[in-house]
Amino acid sequence: NAGVTQTPKFQVLKTGQSMTLQCAQDMNHEYMSWYRQDPGMGLRLIHYSVGAGITDQGEVPNGYNVSRSTTEDFPLRLLSAAPSQTSVYFCASSYQWTGVYNEQFFGPGTRLTVL
Amino acid sequence: AQKITQTQPGMFVQEKEAVTLDCTYDTSDPSYGLFWYKQPSSGEMIFLIYQGSYDQQNATEGRYSLNFQKARKSANLVISASQLGDSAMYFCAMREGSTGGFKTIFGAGTRLFVKA
């Protein structure tokens, strides 16, 4: 199993550009989520999904869109990049969305810089 | 409101000594889970240990143990016999039950430095 994969690993954008961060998992996990990590702020939840076709907002959803057309894939779209979106982005998945014991498996992260 | 608080931005410990990393949480959901993750300088997130709100005993995983004090809403991570490879960022996280929509939220983290 590859686990959770993310592409690209690094990306530089100009303000106003759009792009999609890719996330895929091969563990048949129901639950997938996107976090951003900024210095001194831990990981903040952007969007999450409890299954194909079902998504919801997290703590910091503005400026981002997601969709979940398959169980495996959960792309994150930046609509119009801003310097405030410079961050490290992590995708994570867990087996189920119900039940509090569900360890999250993380991807390697995408380091995004917006100029 | 901050739901996960890690008050120690940085900690130093001597190799082979034990260290406690603090974590307090806030929830009104009776069902929740508490997690600790390690993030080394390479950047990946590594799951360390889990404690459920209904668990009677403190969780242990090798050199890691979780000091769970439910009334105080604290879930401190104890690392015994520290090793140089334990130098990393450590995050406390909580997943609430149905009240919180089963979202997992993280604290700001504690950076641990292990001295030789």
Side-chain angles (χ1 to χ4, degrees):
Chain A
N1 285 353
V4 181
T5 58
Q6 291 182 237
T7 56
K9 289 189 176 180
F10 301 94
Q11 183 70 48
V12 178
L13 292 177
K14 294 182 180 178
T15 296
Q17 287 184 317
S18 63
M19 80 158 295
T20 300
L21 307 186
Q22 301 292 342
C23 173
Q25 52 88 12
D26 61 358
M27 298 174 282
N28 201 32
H29 283 176
E30 277 188 347
Y31 187 95
M32 296 185 74
S33 53
W34 277 102
Y35 293 88
R36 58 176 290 173
Q37 182 178 19
D38 303 295
M41 303 192 73
L43 279 74
R44 292 183 292 168
L45 183 64
I46 305 172
H47 285 284
Y48 65 102
S49 168
V50 300
I54 307 170
T55 64
D56 205 349
Q57 297 180 347
E59 303 168 78
V60 288
N62 292 343
Y64 308 94
N65 268 356
V66 291
S67 60
R68 183 106 178 262
S69 56
T70 66
T71 300
E72 294 79 19
D73 300 300
F74 190 45
L76 178 72
R77 296 183 188 85
L78 279 69
L79 309 173
S80 177
S84 61
Q85 293 178 304
T86 294
S87 188
V88 179
Y89 291 84
F90 286 97
C91 179
S93 74
S94 58
Y95 179 59
Q96 290 179 320
W97 68 278
T98 56
V100 292
Y101 178 57
N102 269 289
E103 169 198 348
Q104 291 203 91
F105 294 82
F106 282 83
T110 294
R111 186 174 294 274
L112 176 69
T113 302
V114 183
L115 303 175
Chain B
Q2 188 75 9
K3 289 197 170 187
I4 296 282
T5 303
Q6 296 181 252
T7 58
Q8 307 151 312
M11 289 278 289
F12 286 87
V13 65
Q14 195 69 38
E15 192 180 12
K16 300 180 185 177
E17 292 185 348
V19 63
T20 297
L21 307 184
D22 295 340
C23 173
T24 57
Y25 60 92
D26 183 28
T27 181
S28 57
D29 198 321
S31 179
Y32 54 90
L34 298 157
F35 301 80
W36 278 91
Y37 288 85
K38 173 184 178 181
Q39 186 179 44
S41 57
S42 51
E44 72 267 31
M45 296 288 288
I46 302 168
F47 166 73
L48 294 178
I49 195 167
Y50 164 82
Q51 179 85 41
S53 60
Y54 295 116
D55 293 343
Q56 296 296 313
Q57 294 193 333
N58 287 343
T60 60
E61 289 286 347
R63 294 186 299 112
Y64 304 108
S65 60
L66 201 153
N67 185 1
F68 181 46
Q69 299 191 35
K70 195 170 184 176
R72 293 186 174 186
K73 294 188 176 179
S74 74
N76 298 338
L77 177 70
V78 180
I79 305 175
S80 62
S82 296
Q83 301 172 355
L84 296 178
D86 294 334
S87 292
M89 196 77 171
Y90 289 82
F91 291 100
C92 179
M94 175 176 68
R95 174 173 283 195
E96 293 176 291
S98 54
T99 304
F102 297 101
K103 299 178 214 179
T104 301
I105 55 173
F106 286 76
T110 295
R111 186 168 295 281
L112 178 66
F113 300 91
V114 181
K115 299 182 290 184

